[in-house]
Structure formats: structure tokens, C-alpha cells
Amino acid sequence: MTTNAKLQARRTAAVPRGIGHATQIYAKRAKNAELWDEEGKRYIDFGAGIAVVNTGHQHPRIVEAVKKQLEDFSHVCFQVTPHENYVSLAERLNTIAPVAGPAKTMLASTGAEAVENAVKVARCFTGRPGIISFSGGFHGRTHMGMALTGKAVPYKKGFGPFPADIYNVAFPNLYHGTSTAESLKALKALFKSQAAPSTIAGLIIEPVQGEGGFNIAPTEFLIALRALCDEHGIVLIADEIQTGFARTGKLFALEHAGIKADVVTLAKGLAGGLPLSAIVGRADIMDASAPGGLGGTYAGNPVACAAAHTVLDIIEDEDLCARANAIGDIIKDRCRELATRSNLNCIGDVRGLGAMCAVEFVKDTKGGEPAPELTAQLLKAANARGLILLSCGTYGNVIRCLPPLTASDEIVQEGMDLFEASLTEAVSKLQ
């Protein structure tokens, strides 16, 4: 019998240690919000492949769309023989993305690739070198992605030097003592001390930080950034890679603030589990580079495009924005109730938009010192009980909940029962 332990031993021998794992659960099959490992054990999946299968594992409509496309062709390379699926998907994304139109779309394969190309088009359009990002932000593992990322360990340690003309400023986070006013002040100080606005091509921000701890950018901050970028001719890039496709209760998180970006990067939930990303931007920005300046061998793979069309149909037909809000309410209400219990004096903050929910753990609520040990113990206990969770946060003390948006209330409640039991066990073990 193949076991998780045997596969882990093989993995250790064959795969670099630099590829981390949230669990040592080896998936055998999955359906909607449930997953079974190689040993036949069932898990409730509150990770969804890091917000990739928002439409659930193996949604029958996506499976059918993929099969149908495979019967025609699996790959042709859009730069050699274009195909209709790419064009029609670009047309749909141009219509729905939070971009001040008219818009154009380039498809790619990964989120990091989308970020790289967003930087390319911003620099080409403006003729400027500088890019601004924010502390706690995550934008990928390529060299440009690492340079933009505001978390040193494990993403940047040992991989420098990084591309030049990248500037990182404080993200507003009231729970950790940084206000919107302070972040804007730091941004203006950067313009005075390090780089004049006339040298800045783009500013990239996650409307809700992913790896940083599901920190929500305040609406007034996003509005101020939009005004600042307009004032100085800076391209505003919204990284919606983790927040997109109904995850936050709207199709895109930027919609909560009521503003539009100049360029939006998309990936993860776009194609229901197949590798596909997109860069949607103002047509004049996207058209700045010469033919041949953009592209990629696998970019806009026809099978992934077929899946993406179906994902967009499912989001609309099954009203997954409403489901995201309903699921998020269950998770956040339950966590806030747990925070009131005297034996669980460890929940510092509960936050989230839609079904992008997080709990920040501390050693005690008065002191507010991060509790990464408790977080690690909770993850271990949850896995043992049959619940897949993910951690995040600059201090490694945040648990993020990302169930598929197709999960039933019953499955979500069952998952939260396991969460509660696992947290109680973890607290008891560390006392």
C-alpha cells in the first residue's frame, strides 16, 4: 500500500527541500470541498489549492469543457496559430476586470508571469524604471516577483541581488499599528528621499494581502493611491491573483473600494485548477510594447482557456459571489465566538472579505505578541482530525481559510467544528 510516509520519503530524495509543504498529505482524489489521501482518509479542504479551485475540485462542467477541448487540440501556441478561445476569453476579461477601459488582455501561465509582464508594460508605457510595492505583499518567486515581495524569509533569503529601482513602503495595518495616514506619509517621503514621482513607472498592491496575512487595504487608502497615481502619471497595478474570481464576495476585490486600476494581474481561480494567468490593462498601456515584446510558449493554453470560460459561467450561474459572503459569515462568526471564550485567550484578530478569511493568533490578547508556535500546532492538529488549513502572515501566526465557494453550509460547519476542536487541542498542548 502506498502511504503518505512512503511518498514523503521518496519526495525528500527526489525533490529539492526548498519547495515547502503545508502538509504531508498526499492527494489521491478530490471532489468539491473534500479530498482523500493515498491512505483513503477524508479531509475537508479549507485551502482550495491556495484559492485556485474556487469552483470546487472536479466541477463537472469544467471537466466536460476540458475533455471537449482536448478532443480538438491541446496546444498550438498563440504566437504561431492563434485560437478563438484566447480571443473570446480576453474579450470577457476586458469587460469584467476593474480596469478603466477600453482594456486589452494578455494571457500567461502563472501569477508571477503576470506580475512580470505588468511591470514590463508599465515601464514600456511610461519610459520610467521605478516600481513601488508594499511591506507584507507577495508577488511571486521570480527575481522581479521576489524584489517586489515584502517578506524576506523564506521568499528572498539567499537569492539576491534583486532587480534595481524597486521601492517598498509600509502597508496600512491598524492591528499592527500602521495607519493609512502613516502609509501615505511614508510614500510621500520616498518621493522626497529616494525616487522622484517622475521616475516611477508603476505601483503594485494587493487589495487584500495574501501571504502577508489577509490584511485588507482600507478603502480610503486605495482611493488615495488612485489619486496619487493620476497626479504623477504612475500606472496603478492591482494584484488580484489571490483575491479574484468571487473569492472576496465580489468578482474582484478592488470593487469593494469602487475604484479601477490601470492594470490588473489575475491567476489562481481563473481556470479552476489549470495553469492560466492574465494581465488586463488599459489598451494604451497594453499596446505600448512592440510585437514580439509580450507572449509565452504556453501562454493562453487552449485547454486552460476552455476551463476559464466555464469558471466564469459557473460564478455567474451559481452566484458564487453570494456564496462567498455566506461562507465567510459562517467562518468569521464562528471565530469571533471562539475569541470570546476565556480558555482561548489567543485570537488577536478575525478579518476577511467574503470567503477570504483569517484568524491572527497571539500569546495573549492583552500583549498581542505573535504566536507562531500555536499556529503550527493548530495546523498539525487540524490535519490529524481531517481538516486542511494554510498559514500566512509576516510572523507566521495567521491561519487563512479558503474553502471552495461551492462548499455547502454543512461542509463549512463541519470544517469549523474540526477547527474548534483542533484549536482547543493546540492551546491545551502549549499550556
Side-chain angles (χ1 to χ4, degrees):
M1 176 184 175
T2 301
T3 66
N4 291 326
K6 287 179 180 177
L7 283 170
Q8 182 63 20
R10 287 169 56 190
R11 174 258 176 268
T12 300
V15 180
R17 70 187 185 98
I19 301 173
H21 296 285
T23 77
Q24 292 186 16
I25 298 164
Y26 282 76
K28 180 70 172 179
R29 63 186 179 92
K31 187 72 173 176
N32 200 358
E34 298 170 276
L35 180 147
W36 289 263
D37 70 9
E38 286 280 355
E39 299 170 12
K41 182 175 178 177
R42 170 185 175 266
Y43 297 84
I44 293 175
D45 187 1
F46 271 24
I50 317 183
V52 167
V53 287
N54 291 349
T55 47
H57 294 285
Q58 298 296 97
H59 194 293
R61 291 173 63 181
I62 295 174
V63 172
E64 185 58 34
V66 167
K67 287 180 178 178
K68 187 176 184 301
Q69 179 58 50
L70 280 171
E71 290 174 355
D72 295 332
F73 56 92
S74 64
H75 175 75
V76 290
C77 186
F78 190 70
Q79 291 101 264
V80 180
T81 54
H83 54 95
E84 192 274 342
N85 259 355
Y86 186 122
V87 176
S88 56
L89 182 58
E91 289 169 339
R92 293 183 77 172
L93 293 175
N94 291 342
T95 300
I96 63 177
V99 170
K104 289 192 175 183
T105 290
M106 169 197 169
L107 299 180
S109 302
T110 68
E113 195 178 357
V115 168
E116 291 272 348
N117 281 281
V119 170
K120 284 170 61 176
V121 298
R123 284 177 164 170
C124 190
F125 176 72
T126 61
R128 305 170 181 178
I131 304 290
I132 296 171
S133 63
F134 292 90
S135 61
F138 179 81
H139 301 288
R141 289 181 172 86
T142 58
H143 259 67
M144 176 57 71
M146 287 188 292
L148 296 169
T149 290
K151 185 177 179 181
V153 179
Y155 303 116
K156 303 170 80 163
K157 185 179 179 181
F159 295 121
F162 300 111
D165 298 301
I166 306 297
Y167 307 95
N168 192 263
V169 297
F171 186 90
N173 186 331
L174 277 179
Y175 183 74
H176 287 284
T178 303
S179 68
T180 290
E182 288 170 321
S183 290
L184 291 172
K185 183 178 179 181
L187 191 53
K188 291 174 182 177
L190 182 149
F191 289 155
K192 293 293 185 183
S193 63
Q194 297 186 63
S198 60
T199 68
I200 302 298
L203 181 152
I204 187 168
I205 187 168
E206 298 166 282
V208 183
Q209 291 190 323
E211 289 294 319
F214 282 23
N215 307 308
I216 303 167
T219 293
E220 63 271 20
F221 185 64
L222 292 172
I223 291 172
L225 291 183
R226 177 68 277 175
L228 184 146
C229 287
D230 288 340
E231 178 184 355
H232 297 293
I234 296 169
V235 175
L236 178 60
I237 305 168
D239 184 334
E240 291 257 15
I241 288 167
Q242 190 164 165
T243 55
F245 301 100
R247 174 52 59 179
T248 68
K250 291 187 180 294
L251 198 53
F252 302 103
L254 210 60
E255 294 176 42
H256 290 279
I259 65 165
K260 294 184 183 293
D262 299 310
V263 174
V264 177
T265 59
L266 307 170
K268 291 192 182 291
L270 172 57
L274 277 74
L276 186 69
S277 63
I279 309 93
V280 188
R282 280 173 27 202
D284 56 340
I285 296 173
M286 299 297 289
D287 277 340
S289 62
L294 304 177
T297 301
Y298 297 102
N301 171 268
V303 179
C305 286
H309 276 292
T310 310
V311 164
L312 294 176
D313 292 341
I314 292 167
I315 289 172
E316 182 177 355
D317 295 345
E318 299 185 17
D319 199 2
L320 293 191
C321 288
R323 276 303 298 157
N325 288 321
I327 289 169
D329 286 344
I330 292 172
I331 294 171
K332 287 177 283 189
D333 288 350
R334 189 76 173 270
C335 289
R336 287 170 181 144
E337 189 275 323
L338 291 174
T340 65
R341 300 188 187 180
S342 58
N343 66 319
L344 297 176
N345 183 37
C346 59
I347 297 178
D349 193 32
V350 177
R351 55 183 177 264
L353 286 177
M356 191 172 182
C357 307
V359 186
E360 182 152 354
F361 290 102
V362 293
K363 293 185 177 179
D364 67 79
T365 54
K366 286 187 179 179
E369 183 180 349
E373 301 86 358
L374 173 61
T375 307
Q377 192 66 237
L378 170 56
L379 289 171
K380 184 178 178 181
N383 289 174
R385 290 177 183 271
L387 175 65
I388 296 172
L389 293 170
L390 299 171
S391 63
C392 62
T394 304
Y395 303 100
N397 66 319
V398 179
I399 291 291
R400 50 181 158 174
C401 296
L402 292 165
L405 306 182
T406 48
S408 66
D409 287 356
E410 291 75 19
I411 285 285
V412 177
Q413 291 285 12
E414 183 183 353
M416 292 310 299
D417 289 342
L418 295 172
F419 180 92
E420 178 181 341
S422 302
L423 176 58
T424 302
E425 176 188 331
V427 169
S428 177
K429 284 189 175 181
L430 289 176
Q431 284 176 344

